[in-house]
């Protein structure tokens, strides 16, 4: 029910969250193909699975829109809308990706990876442009969304590489560190930039996210590296944690921290001939 | 240039919701959809509590975030500042709804009427199936404005060319007019009174002014 205080938006549900989850992982996986390419390993599965993930995410969005048979109208506003840009980038990525799958030329693979990065950036900017949801418009969320997509992609790619395994592990360590730092930045910035209810959601998520999504996988990865990769199960478990926590984070942001702006007046009105005005009120926000 | 804006005198608004009812009547909005709402806000803590009634709705921003995000160009801004939605091309993605900091947008997935069934005569008269599954919001009664100006009437002065909520306001708390005309009713009200606009810090440049005191009377 709409009231004065910020409330959890219901316009974008799990299907929209799914676009960020599948889209982030898919684009991250395609970008991670560059590591396999550097070691002369096959990249076919990276690109195929990555594109399928991206398509799944976009398919979920298609299921959410009110007029699905007008979906092509999404391409009408590239001048300003990041959703249009996401659609264009995805379309080109599917084309270049198909060519990369067919011909396997390194330049096409690199081109697909570049487009995947652009797609991920578009997703981050989609949230940034949502001025009605303070937890999304906070500028520090965009780099966190990019870092999360890359982390998930690299974590997923561990199942697809052999010669590049160690380098992919190192990349995952770096990305997990980067994601933890981005999360910390976002949390600090959000403390005063989001409504109280959203701040509570972010605070409750923070410790489990840092421990299970970062500290534990980092410890497992470093342990496996120190033991000379003799226990790859440790690394795979770390990858599952890195991947799962990324999805949990995006679902939490899109569904649970998505409190609206709410209403505020900066002055209360003067009442009566001798009445005087005064300070205002911003319900649902911390003092 | 012309920029139509709304002025709400918070000193006068009594929270009767007549504007809400008038809007719903003339636009036939379904249950739960209120393009014009009046918030009942409490300010302060006991025993020093004040109350304010605050009309809200689409603020017809000069820099509307809904327009920037709309992927289909269904949301547009006219030269007179009125932000419109083209129901024929909107895809119903709700991106505008999450981009609007004024919670002004709605989307319904089926036809619904106040008392169920086929709806009352006034609801049937204005029922528009194009509004199902797309974004909707306050239009500043753009049809009335266009029809009125075509007859040479002045929006905000002549009721026939003025939004229904303004016409219906029992306390003359709501006013409408061209803020770019220094002699208009709204320009004079804004000039002669202390005022603010909601969430101005978000850079939306809203077209909804709230009067809260006479000019020069701040923090008596």
């Amino acid at each position: 029910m709409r009231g004065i205080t910020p409330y959890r938006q219901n316009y974008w549900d799990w299907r929209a969250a799914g676009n960020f989850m599948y889209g982030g992982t898919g684009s991250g996986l395609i970008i991670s193909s560059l590591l396999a390419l550097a070691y002369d390993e096959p990249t076919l599965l990276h690109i195929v699975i990555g594109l399928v993930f991206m398509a799944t995410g976009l398919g979920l969005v298609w299921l959410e829109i009110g007029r699905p048979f007008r979906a092509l109208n999404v391409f009408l506003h590239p001048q300003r809308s990041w959703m249009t840009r996401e659609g264009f980038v995805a379309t080109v990525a599917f084309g270049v990706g198909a060519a990369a799958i067919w011909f396997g030329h390194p330049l096409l693979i690199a081109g697909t990876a570049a487009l995947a990065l652009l797609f991920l950036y578009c997703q981050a900017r989609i949230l940034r442009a949502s001025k009605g949801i303070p937890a999304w418009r906070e500028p520090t969320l965009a780099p966190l969304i990019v870092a999360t997509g890359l982390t998930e992609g690299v974590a997923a790619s561990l199942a697809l590489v052999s010669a590049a395994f160690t380098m992919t592990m190192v990349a995952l360590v770096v990305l997990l560190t980067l994601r933890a730092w981005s999360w910390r930045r976002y949390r600090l910035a959000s403390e005063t930039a989001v409504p109280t209810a959203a701040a509570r959601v972010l605070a409750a998520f923070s410790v489990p996210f840092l421990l299970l999504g970062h500290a534990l996988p980092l410890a497992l990865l470093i342990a496996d590296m120190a033991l000379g990769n003799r226990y790859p199960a440790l690394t795979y478990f770390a990858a599952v944690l890195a991947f799962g926590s990324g999805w949990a984070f995006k679902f939490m942001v899109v569904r649970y921290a998505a409190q609206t702006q709410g209403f505020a007046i900066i002055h209360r009105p003067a009442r009566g001939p001798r009445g005087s005005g005064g300070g205002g009120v911003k319900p649902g926000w911390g003092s | 240039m012309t920029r139509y804006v709304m002025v709400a005198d918070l000193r006068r608004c009594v929270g009767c919701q007549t504007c809400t009812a008038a809007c719903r009547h003339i636009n036939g909005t379904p249950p739960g959809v209120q393009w014009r709402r009046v918030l009942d806000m409490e300010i302060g803590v006991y025993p020093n509590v004040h109350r304010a009634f605050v009309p809200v709705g689409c603020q017809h921003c000069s820099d509307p975030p809904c327009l920037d995000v709309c992927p289909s160009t269904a949301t547009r801004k006219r030269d007179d500042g009125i932000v419109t939605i083209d129901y024929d091309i909107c895809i119903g993605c709700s991106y505008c709804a999450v981009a609007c900091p004024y919670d002004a947008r709605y989307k319904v997935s089926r036809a619904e009427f106040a008392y169920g069934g086929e709806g009352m005569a006034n609801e049937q008269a204005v029922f528009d199936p194009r509004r199902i599954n797309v974004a909707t919001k306050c239009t500043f009664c753009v049809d009335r404005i266009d029809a009125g100006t075509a007859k040479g009437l002045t929006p905000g002065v002549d009721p026939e060319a003025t939004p229904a909520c303004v016409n219906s306001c029992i306390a003359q708390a709501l006013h409408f007019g061209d803020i770019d005309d220094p002699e208009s009713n709204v320009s004079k009200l804004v000039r002669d009174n202390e005022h603010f606009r909601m969430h101005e810090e978000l850079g939306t440049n809203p077209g909804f002014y709230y009067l809260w005191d006479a000019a020069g009377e701040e923090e008596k």
Side-chain angles (χ1 to χ4, degrees), chain A residues 20 56 160:
Chain A
F20 293 100
T56 304
L160 305 176

Side-chain angles (χ1 to χ4, degrees), chain B residues 61-133:
Chain B
C61 306
S62 200
D63 299 308
C66 53
L67 187 149
D68 286 340
V69 302
C70 177
S72 68
T73 64
T75 296
R76 291 177 201 151
K77 188 167 65 110
R78 303 187 345 160
D79 289 342
D80 58 11
I82 298 178
V83 177
T84 59
I85 301 171
D86 184 339
Y87 303 134
D88 291 324
I89 62 171
C90 176
I91 62 172
C93 66
S94 300
Y95 195 7
C96 55
V98 293
C100 174
Y102 303 99
D103 201 17
R105 296 213 168 206
Y106 295 83
K107 187 174 89 174
V108 296
S109 56
R110 63 180 186 278
E112 228 181 320
F113 301 101
Y115 296 101
E118 297 289 302
M120 295 179 291
N122 76 297
E123 289 175 312
Q124 278 300 337
V126 293
F127 175 69
D128 185 353
R130 296 180 309 154
R131 283 201 215 145
I132 307 294
N133 276 323

Side-chain angles (χ1 to χ4, degrees), chain A residues 2 4 7 11-12 66-67 70 73-74 76-77 80-81 84 126 130-132 262-264 267 270-271 275, chain B residues 11 13 39-40 67-72 87 89-93 95 98-99 103 105 132 198-199 202 212 220:
Chain A
R2 296 179 181 213
I4 299 168
Y7 67 95
Y11 291 105
W12 285 7
R67 299 277 188 163
R70 294 180 189 168
N73 288 356
V74 80
L76 295 178
H77 200 195
R80 289 159 98 163
S81 173
T84 299
I126 284 173
S130 303
K131 274 195 178 173
F263 294 94
H267 296 286
R271 291 284 194 189
Chain B
R11 296 164 301 183
C13 183
L39 307 175
D40 185 346
L67 187 149
D68 286 340
V69 302
C70 177
S72 68
Y87 303 134
I89 62 171
C90 176
I91 62 172
C93 66
Y95 195 7
V98 293
D103 201 17
R105 296 213 168 206
I132 307 294
M198 200 182 284
H199 303 328
L202 297 178
W212 62 278
K220 280 188 268 192

Side-chain angles (χ1 to χ4, degrees), chain B residues 149-182:
Chain B
T149 49
K151 292 180 191 169
L153 302 175
T154 305
V157 176
D158 298 304
E160 210 180 322
T162 301
C165 56
V166 177
N167 286 337
S168 71
C169 182
I170 62 164
Q172 292 192 334
L174 286 177
H175 303 267
F176 185 79
D178 176 12
I179 195 82
D180 282 352
D181 173 4

Side-chain angles (χ1 to χ4, degrees), chain A residues 130-175:
Chain A
S130 303
K131 274 195 178 173
I133 311 295
W136 298 356
R137 70 171 183 242
E138 166 51 46
T140 51
L141 180 64
L144 178 55
I145 290 288
V146 173
T148 305
L150 292 174
T151 306
E152 290 160 14
V154 168
S157 76
L158 275 166
L160 305 176
V161 292
S162 50
F165 195 84
T166 307
M167 187 45 71
T168 306
M169 285 172 73
V170 172
L172 187 55
V173 168
V174 171
L175 285 168

Side-chain angles (χ1 to χ4, degrees), chain A residues 23-38 43-44 46-48 50-51 54 89-90 92-101 105-122 146 149-150 153-154:
Chain A
T25 301
S27 50
L29 192 56
I30 293 170
I31 295 161
S32 74
S33 69
L34 293 175
L35 278 172
L37 192 66
T43 56
L44 182 71
H46 291 77
I47 295 175
V48 170
L51 290 176
M54 281 167 60
V89 171
V92 179
F94 288 126
V96 177
I101 291 165
H105 194 282
L107 272 180
L108 288 170
I109 295 164
T112 312
L115 287 161
L117 185 60
L118 209 52
F119 178 84
L120 190 55
Y121 181 70
C122 287
V146 173
L150 292 174
V154 168

